[in-house]
């Protein structure tokens, strides 16, 4: 096969050359006697002569000893004046100012330094060399530090007070002149291209900073948990077992036909077993895998800060997390979170007031209950009053807002809005459109009371939605409307949300079970099936599962869920009852959890824990638009890895080894 990518660009092809053969050649090359290098200003002499590589040309590359780096490219300051330095890094586009003056910035992990060819100070052939260098070539440069003359100082760069007069350049590895893009380009190509050449994109300072901050945060978390809170970091298996825990798993075939591992969707079962094993406090910065339809900003493999504690209450777990978040915010952003502890809100309150189980509390816009107007008392009427909204949002804004809500036909009947004026202020619930008018029944007194309670005035914009009383799931239509309204108001400059406003809140008292929308069973676990019910709700498990609240807590920040956890069921009997009678798993399904049931029955302490999404957290800290910007090698939408072009096919003989066959009709 002819290799079309980088090798080819250098006159190399992999035709007829096996990997081992290449390796053998490399070893023999690196053990040859070092060449004595001539003192020349531009050194590209390769010890690899053509005959070494049997005709493969590798002559532009410098393979010998090169001078030891003395400084990083972001390090030099005017105090280094006249020092002889050696810098290594990536050549940036050069700028020829005249015959006598050429600039060549050099970049490494720490920053950029301006290298200069100045006719009066530098060997003459340096200029041609610079002009021949392709951008992003890896070079080593010897030179003399000069302070920049007044008026030419670059105050944007930490090294902007100096430049380095080039004495010698070693071209350690020339970059292909046909690179798909340069990291320093202002107009970057589309994301697919940048994901494919991730090693180029990762050279950009923004991504470099994100990945470095990620490492710093991992270290901060470890220090906080291990040194201050006596946690033990424990790795759990990546090759796990398929268990019906919730999300769809990735399965891994083995060479024992018919037997599979599954990748863990989280270390949940292992961390509970670690509590049974007496570790008391476990944590792990854990890779998790979920084969779910990838919504905009989801990854099939992602990282969680996962922890578990024995003999604790929900509040104790939350306190550990509050301290950890404070340590992270202080280290990453230099912000001391002022609140002693984060506020708490029940699921019911979050859903009724904000229409979301992850409310964005940076702006008010609360939903109010107007059920008093409805004929049907099994329904609720959500009402959102946007003060002065009538003039702030035009007909066009409202049209696009409604379009973005993607209302179903039923929702269109039950949803409406009205702009308040002097004429309709005494009867506006009847003027909201949709089919709402037919659903209203109330007196003039009620209208008066509502106007007073909601402080309705001409110029306001009001949305109404009739919904079922029983709430489940992550949001309501009015909750989604609230977010759309806030977006529109922000876009039009009527609402300002400061960048550094962090509104944390704990959401609690979730329903333990949610109706199974696929209709396969009656109930599914709202989070995962190991969450303990509220003690006082235990009697309802058998009689009214809809009313059972779980000891689950989510940590929400600015409308995003950044973590979730719970106190767990530690009784093997209750756990089996829930699998069997409430979740109605088949025996063969819940037997897949036998290891956990056994562990609970083998002397397992009461325990609870939580996991925070590390990728999301980093995206917030880095103010990144996407979690892909804080992951070194993320998958693109649809789970594709453009760097290595995966997932990819395997050979028929590999399939055979695993006892697998691809059926054409389901390919
Ligand atoms: N394992 C849970 C999750 O991945 C977190 C927890 O309950 O600790 O969402």
């Amino acid at each position: 096969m002819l290799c079309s990518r980088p090798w080819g660009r250098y006159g190399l092809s992999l035709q007829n050359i096996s990997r081992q053969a290449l390796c053998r050649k490399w070893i023999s090359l690196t053990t040859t006697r070092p060449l004595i290098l001539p003192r020349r200003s531009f050194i590209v002499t390769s010890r690899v002569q053509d005959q070494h590589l049997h005709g493969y040309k590798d002559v532009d590359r410098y393979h010998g000893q090169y001078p030891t780096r003395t400084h990083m490219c972001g390090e030099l300051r005017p105090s280094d004046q006249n020092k002889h330095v050696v810098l290594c890094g990536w050549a940036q586009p050069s700028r020829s100012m005249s015959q006598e003056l050429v600039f060549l910035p050099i970049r490494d992990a720490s920053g950029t330094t301006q290298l200069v060819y100045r006719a009066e100070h530098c060997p003459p052939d340096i200029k041609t060399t610079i002009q021949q260098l392709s951008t992003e070539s890896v070079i080593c440069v010897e030179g003399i530090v000069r302070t920049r003359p007044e008026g030419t100082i670059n105050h944007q760069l930490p090294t902007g007070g100096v430049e380095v007069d080039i004495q010698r350049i070693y071209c350690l590895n020339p970059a292909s002149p046909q690179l798909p893009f340069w990291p320093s380009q202002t107009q970057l190509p589309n994301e697919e291209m940048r994901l494919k050449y991730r090693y180029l994109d990762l050279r950009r300072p923004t991504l470099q900073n994100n990945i470095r901050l990620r490492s710093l945060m991992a270290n901060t978390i470890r220090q906080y948990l291990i040194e201050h809170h006596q946690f033990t970091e424990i790795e759990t298996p990546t090759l796990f077992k398929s268990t019906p825990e919730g999300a769809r798993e990735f399965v891994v075939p083995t060479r024992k036909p018919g037997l599979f591992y599954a990748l863990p969707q989280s270390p949940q079962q292992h961390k509970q077993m670690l509590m049974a094993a007496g570790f008391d406090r476990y944590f792990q910065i854990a890779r998790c895998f979920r084969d779910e339809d990838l919504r905009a900003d989801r990854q099939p493999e992602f990282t969680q800060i996962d922890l578990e504690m024995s003999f604790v209450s929900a509040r104790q777990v939350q306190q550990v997390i509050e301290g950890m978040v404070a340590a992270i915010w202080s280290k990453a952003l230099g912000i001391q979170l002022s609140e002693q502890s984060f506020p708490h809100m029940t699921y019911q309150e979050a859903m009724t007031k904000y229409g979301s189980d992850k409310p964005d509390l940076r702006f008010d816009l609360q939903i109010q209950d107007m059920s008093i107007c409805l004929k049907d008392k099994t329904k609720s009427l959500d009402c959102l009053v946007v003060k002065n909204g009538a003039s702030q949002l035009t007909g066009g804004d409202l049209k696009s807002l409604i379009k973005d809500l993607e209302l179903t036909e039923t929702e269109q009947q039950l949803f409406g809005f009205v702009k308040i004026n002097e004429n309709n202020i005494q009867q506006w619930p009847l003027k909201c459109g949709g089919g709402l008018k037919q659903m209203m029944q109330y007196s003039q007194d009620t209208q008066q009371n509502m106007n007073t309670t909601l402080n309705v005035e001409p110029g306001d914009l009001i949305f109404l939605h009739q919904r079922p009383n029983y709430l489940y799931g992550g949001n309501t239509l009015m909750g989604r409307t609230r977010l759309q309204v806030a977006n529109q108001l922000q876009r039009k400059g009527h609402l300002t949300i400061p960048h550094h406003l962090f509104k944390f809140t704990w959401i609690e008292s979730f329903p333990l079970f949610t109706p199974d929308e696929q209709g396969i069973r009656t109930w599914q676990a709202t989070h995962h099936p190991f969450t303990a019910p509220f003690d006082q709700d235990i009697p309802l498990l058998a009689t009214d599962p809809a009313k059972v609240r779980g000891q689950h807590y989510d940590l929400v920040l600015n409308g995003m869920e950044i973590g979730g956890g719970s106190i767990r069921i530690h009784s093997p009997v209750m756990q089996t009852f829930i699998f069997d009678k409430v979740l109605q798993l088949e025996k063969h399904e819940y037997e897949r959890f036998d290891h956990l049931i056994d562990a609970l029955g083998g002397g397992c302490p009461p325990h609870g824990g939580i996991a925070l999404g590390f990728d999301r957290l980093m995206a917030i800290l880095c103010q990144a638009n996407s979690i892909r910007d804080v992951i070194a090698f993320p998958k693109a939408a649809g789970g594709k890895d453009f760097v290595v072009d995966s997932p990819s096919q395997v050979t028929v003989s590999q399939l055979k080894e695993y006892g697998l066959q691809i059926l054409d009709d389901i390919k």
Side-chain angles (χ1 to χ4, degrees):
M1 183 190 75
L2 190 71
C3 178
S4 63
R5 296 214 302 153
W7 290 92
R9 292 201 189 113
Y10 306 116
L12 293 174
S13 110
L14 289 183
Q15 235 168 350
N16 303 329
I17 282 221
S18 72
R19 252 174 115 135
Q20 288 95 328
L22 272 176
C23 289
R24 273 199 306 276
K25 285 191 173 71
W26 177 247
I27 291 162
S28 82
L29 291 171
T30 49
T31 51
T32 51
R33 191 169 50 83
L35 273 182
I36 310 293
L37 293 166
R39 287 293 295 178
R40 284 195 312 163
S41 54
F42 177 48
I43 303 186
V44 291
T45 309
S46 168
R47 289 182 303 152
V48 182
Q49 304 301 325
D50 285 2
Q51 71 270 21
H52 286 133
L53 290 179
H54 293 237
Y56 285 85
K57 299 212 179 309
D58 197 16
V59 288
D60 293 341
R61 202 159 277 101
Y62 179 76
H63 287 275
Q65 278 294 323
Y66 54 92
T68 305
R69 174 164 73 174
T70 60
H71 293 80
M72 298 293 285
C73 296
E75 216 181 327
L76 296 174
R77 298 291 181 272
S79 55
D80 295 306
Q81 158 95 314
N82 292 332
K83 275 191 191 153
H84 178 267
V85 295
V86 178
L87 302 178
C88 295
W90 285 260
Q92 300 302 285
S94 58
R95 295 190 320 277
S96 239
M97 312 308 284
S98 67
Q99 289 297 331
E100 281 78 40
L101 185 63
V102 184
F103 293 119
L104 175 68
I106 180 172
R107 185 206 65 231
D108 71 6
S110 69
T112 305
T113 295
Q114 173 109 289
L115 305 173
V116 195
Y117 161 78
R118 215 181 284 280
E120 72 262 35
H121 291 146
C122 308
D125 54 343
I126 292 281
K127 193 173 79 181
T128 339
T129 305
I130 292 178
Q131 284 161 347
Q132 282 168 358
L133 263 184
S134 50
T135 299
E136 292 298 314
S137 291
V138 179
I139 55 175
C140 168
V141 174
E142 286 183 57
I144 313 286
V145 183
R146 313 270 185 222
T147 50
R148 292 202 202 183
E150 205 45 61
T152 63
I153 293 173
N154 180 351
H155 294 284
Q156 315 293 333
L157 275 185
T159 59
V162 296
E163 48 199 21
V164 173
D165 281 343
I166 306 170
Q167 300 305 305
R168 300 174 96 197
I169 298 183
Y170 299 74
C171 184
L172 304 183
N173 208 352
S176 159
Q178 291 115 38
L179 286 185
F181 65 96
W182 299 331
S184 54
Q185 244 168 259
T186 38
Q187 256 328 77
L188 289 166
N190 64 31
E191 199 186 10
E192 185 177 323
M193 176 73 92
R194 285 186 285 122
L195 283 173
K196 181 166 176 177
Y197 298 96
R198 187 66 170 171
Y199 46 89
L200 293 181
D201 205 24
L202 281 171
R203 290 182 199 164
R204 285 194 292 130
T206 313
L207 293 191
Q208 287 265 321
N209 290 341
N210 291 357
I211 302 298
R212 284 171 207 284
L213 187 64
R214 187 179 173 116
S215 157
L216 188 68
M217 288 307 103
N219 189 39
T220 305
I221 291 160
R222 289 199 164 92
Q223 259 185 351
Y224 172 84
L225 291 175
I226 297 174
E227 287 169 26
H228 302 294
H229 290 275
Q230 296 77 49
F231 278 79
T232 306
E233 182 170 12
I234 306 174
E235 289 160 89
T236 52
T238 301
L239 293 177
F240 182 45
K241 171 189 175 177
S242 177
T243 58
E245 196 178 306
R248 193 189 301 135
E249 303 153 315
F250 286 98
V251 291
V252 182
T254 70
R255 280 180 290 123
K256 301 197 176 65
L259 297 186
F260 296 82
Y261 293 109
L263 303 183
Q265 46 189 287
S266 87
Q268 184 64 34
Q269 296 174 53
H270 279 109
K271 69 176 173 175
Q272 291 194 238
M273 288 189 280
L274 286 169
M275 294 303 101
F279 278 98
D280 202 74
R281 291 182 167 205
Y282 139 96
F283 90 100
Q284 181 182 190
I285 299 186
R287 302 317 293 280
C288 306
F289 307 85
R290 295 183 193 172
D291 188 8
E292 291 180 312
D293 298 332
L294 294 177
R295 275 186 259 141
D297 216 12
R298 288 260 177 106
Q299 289 282 309
E301 61 177 309
F302 57 96
T303 309
Q304 284 187 344
I305 306 158
D306 190 49
L307 57 91
E308 197 73 9
M309 303 163 77
S310 290
F311 306 109
V312 283
S313 63
R315 188 68 205 119
Q316 284 171 296
V317 178
Q318 292 168 358
Q319 277 163 344
V320 167
I321 294 301
E322 287 170 6
M324 187 170 90
V325 168
I328 291 172
W329 252 248
S330 161
K331 187 85 179 176
L333 304 176
I335 290 178
Q336 310 308 322
L337 294 176
S338 55
E339 282 155 301
Q340 287 299 301
S341 65
F342 302 151
H344 297 240
M345 194 184 288
T346 64
Y347 170 80
Q348 277 297 325
E349 189 183 352
M351 289 290 280
T352 49
K353 282 196 183 156
Y354 301 97
S356 168
D357 65 355
K358 33 184 171 302
D360 191 340
L361 302 176
R362 291 173 300 171
F363 53 92
D364 201 21
L365 275 182
Q366 280 190 30
I367 299 166
Q368 322 243 11
D369 178 33
M370 291 247 311
S371 307
I372 192 164
C373 302
L374 289 178
K375 282 184 197 155
D376 184 348
K377 298 301 172 201
T378 67
K379 299 287 192 295
S380 293
L381 190 62
D382 280 344
C383 171
L384 185 73
V385 180
V386 186
K387 295 304 289 174
N388 303 316
S391 57
Q392 292 172 343
L393 298 183
T394 64
D397 296 333
L398 288 168
K399 211 168 157 193
S400 82
L401 186 148
I402 304 291
K403 188 165 163 258
D404 290 347
L405 287 173
E406 296 177 356
L407 301 178
T408 61
E409 261 176 47
T410 326
E411 284 171 335
Q412 283 171 18
Q413 286 304 304
L414 305 174
F415 181 84
F417 64 89
V418 58
K419 288 185 170 184
I420 305 298
N421 56 41
E422 299 290 353
N423 298 331
N424 65 16
I425 192 159
Q426 292 308 333
Q427 47 183 327
W428 55 265
L430 306 176
K431 306 282 179 191
C432 283
L436 283 170
K437 189 174 168 181
Q438 287 78 47
M439 294 157 198
M440 304 288 171
Q441 189 175 56
Y442 62 96
S443 69
Q444 204 49 44
D445 279 355
T446 311
Q447 173 79 64
Q448 283 294 352
N449 285 345
M450 272 175 350
N451 282 1
T452 316
T453 318
L454 302 176
N455 183 26
V456 176
E457 292 166 308
D460 293 346
L461 166 68
I462 300 184
F463 293 89
L464 281 183
H465 175 229
Q466 178 186 289
R467 61 163 174 83
N469 274 336
Y470 173 57
L471 283 168
Y472 67 92
N475 58 53
T476 63
L477 174 53
M478 197 54 85
R480 300 202 302 279
T481 308
R482 177 179 179 266
L483 293 181
Q484 294 285 357
V485 168
N487 276 344
Q488 295 266 16
L489 292 178
Q490 249 190 304
R491 192 177 55 80
K492 303 194 79 181
H494 300 301
L495 173 71
T496 315
I497 299 178
H499 251 27
H500 273 72
L501 185 60
F502 297 107
K503 288 283 190 184
F504 290 94
T505 190
W506 290 106
I507 308 295
E508 299 164 325
S509 307
F510 283 83
L512 189 55
F513 307 108
T514 297
D516 180 12
E517 286 197 318
Q518 289 168 358
I520 302 168
R521 303 194 169 87
T522 317
W523 298 108
Q524 59 184 20
T526 304
H527 292 101
H528 55 57
F530 318 113
T531 307
F534 272 41
D535 296 341
Q536 58 271 42
D537 294 349
I538 292 174
L540 298 170
L541 277 174
T543 57
D544 197 353
K547 293 216 171 76
V548 180
R549 289 160 302 162
Q551 294 194 52
H552 180 93
Y553 31 83
D554 270 353
L555 181 58
V556 169
L557 168 62
N558 296 352
M560 287 168 282
E561 180 199 319
I562 59 170
S566 56
I567 296 302
R568 326 296 185 185
I569 298 164
H570 64 273
S571 152
V573 179
M574 183 186 289
Q575 185 68 78
T576 311
F577 176 83
I578 287 179
F579 284 149
D580 182 13
K581 298 296 179 206
V582 186
L583 299 176
Q584 297 167 328
L585 298 186
E586 303 288 339
K587 192 160 187 288
H588 70 89
E589 287 177 308
Y590 66 76
E591 275 175 357
R592 300 187 77 81
F593 293 108
D594 274 356
H595 52 275
L596 184 67
I597 300 291
D598 285 351
L600 298 182
C604 180
H607 58 283
I610 190 166
L612 302 194
F614 193 35
D615 307 306
R616 167 87 43 235
L617 198 69
M618 287 313 306
I620 294 170
L621 295 174
C622 296
Q623 290 186 25
N625 289 330
S626 153
I627 58 170
R628 293 189 290 277
D629 287 349
V630 297
I631 299 171
F633 294 102
K635 304 276 185 285
K640 187 150 176 70
D641 185 330
F642 281 106
V643 179
V644 297
D645 192 16
S646 153
S648 61
Q649 291 179 342
V650 294
T651 62
V652 174
S653 64
Q654 278 173 302
L655 284 175
K656 211 166 160 197
E657 242 187 320
Y658 289 97
L660 297 173
Q661 192 185 350
I662 307 292
L663 300 177
D664 281 341
D665 51 345
I666 56 164
K667 234 200 256 180

